[in-house]
Amino acid sequence: MVEVKEHWPRRFGVFGGTFDPPHVGHVAIAREVRLTERLTEVLWIPARRSPHKLNHQLTPSELRWEMVMAAIEGLEGQEISDLELNREGPSYSVDTLRELRSERPGGRPVLILGSDQFENLRRWREAPELGFLTDLCVVARDDVDPERLQPGVDIEWSLSSLPRVKISSSEIRKRRREGRPYQSLVPEGVAKIIEREDLYCV
């Protein structure tokens, strides 16, 4: 259990993505960052449409929501929000963070993102505004040198101590298309939904 003392700001994690599908790497990141950053909770926010994946065909929102619910079932301090699923058009982090700051006055969001996204932060919509809205916790991806990371904007950030994450949703989808085993890469409940709905076969 994360101890929240009176002199600590009430910081909560913001974990966004398409989660198509959510995998064990996502779960490990959310659990580790909650502990190391002393977060009250981690809020998983599935995107209706990622601005970085506008040409990518996504699994229907209701199924991705169900898969995230299955991935975090029974895990302490892990919650889900439909904030972006209820928004028309692409989901921009700056809009989401503004809404969360309004909904949770006195709280400080900590945006969790991979080092590949972090390197492109300067290109995000209203990037200079992010430093006023959030802190960052960066998780190193396998192909990025964490020693050379630079956000390109003025923002407080930390590097997660979690070992480099080598699992990706695209790899799981590829394994599924090719008929190769994938079940060990996703939580059991997520695998059941994938099989039930016959996802990622084409």
Side-chain angles (χ1 to χ4, degrees):
M1 180 176 180
V2 176
E3 181 185 7
V4 180
K5 298 182 179 179
E6 290 298 323
H7 62 277
W8 287 354
R10 296 192 65 82
R11 303 167 79 233
F12 61 95
V14 177
F15 195 22
T18 53
F19 300 118
D20 197 12
H23 52 66
V24 294
H26 289 133
V27 174
I29 289 168
R31 297 180 74 177
E32 175 74 9
V33 171
R34 177 173 174 259
L35 292 174
T36 58
E37 295 292 319
R38 297 173 173 176
L39 306 177
T40 56
E41 63 187 341
V42 171
L43 197 60
W44 296 55
I45 307 182
R48 181 186 185 93
R49 172 66 61 183
S50 169
H52 310 295
K53 300 179 180 179
L54 293 178
N55 297 321
H56 178 66
Q57 184 66 40
L58 294 176
T59 300
S61 298
E62 62 271 16
L63 290 177
R64 291 187 288 115
W65 169 275
E66 186 182 359
M67 285 192 286
V68 171
M69 288 288 289
I72 66 175
E73 184 178 6
L75 299 181
E76 185 177 4
Q78 305 293 326
E79 305 291 340
I80 186 172
S81 167
D82 61 0
L83 190 154
E84 291 189 355
L85 293 181
N86 291 332
R87 183 188 300 151
E88 295 296 331
S91 299
Y92 293 101
S93 293
V94 68
D95 297 327
T96 298
L97 291 165
R98 284 184 178 129
E99 289 188 49
L100 289 172
R101 290 290 297 269
S102 177
E103 290 177 1
R104 300 175 175 222
R108 180 68 175 175
V110 177
L111 186 62
I112 304 166
L113 72 167
S115 50
D116 50 342
Q117 298 170 303
F118 183 67
E119 288 190 311
N120 291 313
L121 196 65
R122 65 179 69 86
R123 300 186 182 93
W124 286 23
R125 172 172 288 197
E126 297 184 58
E129 186 70 12
L130 295 174
F132 298 102
L133 296 171
T134 188
D135 299 333
L136 297 179
C137 183
V138 181
V139 180
R141 296 299 295 263
D142 190 47
D143 55 350
V144 174
D145 180 1
E147 298 298 323
R148 303 181 64 180
L149 288 175
Q150 293 294 333
V153 297
D154 185 15
I155 194 166
E156 291 290 328
W157 66 281
S158 61
L159 184 64
S160 171
S161 59
L162 189 73
R164 294 186 181 189
V165 176
K166 300 183 179 181
I167 304 171
S168 69
S169 296
S170 59
E171 172 64 18
I172 293 166
R173 295 194 300 269
K174 181 180 179 182
R175 283 173 172 261
R176 178 77 168 143
R177 286 195 306 271
E178 296 174 351
R180 292 190 289 145
Y182 72 93
Q183 289 87 345
S184 64
L185 303 181
V186 297
E188 182 179 356
V190 173
K192 288 181 178 178
I193 296 168
I194 291 173
E195 297 290 334
R196 185 194 75 201
E197 300 293 332
D198 206 23
L199 298 178
Y200 314 124
C201 289
V202 294

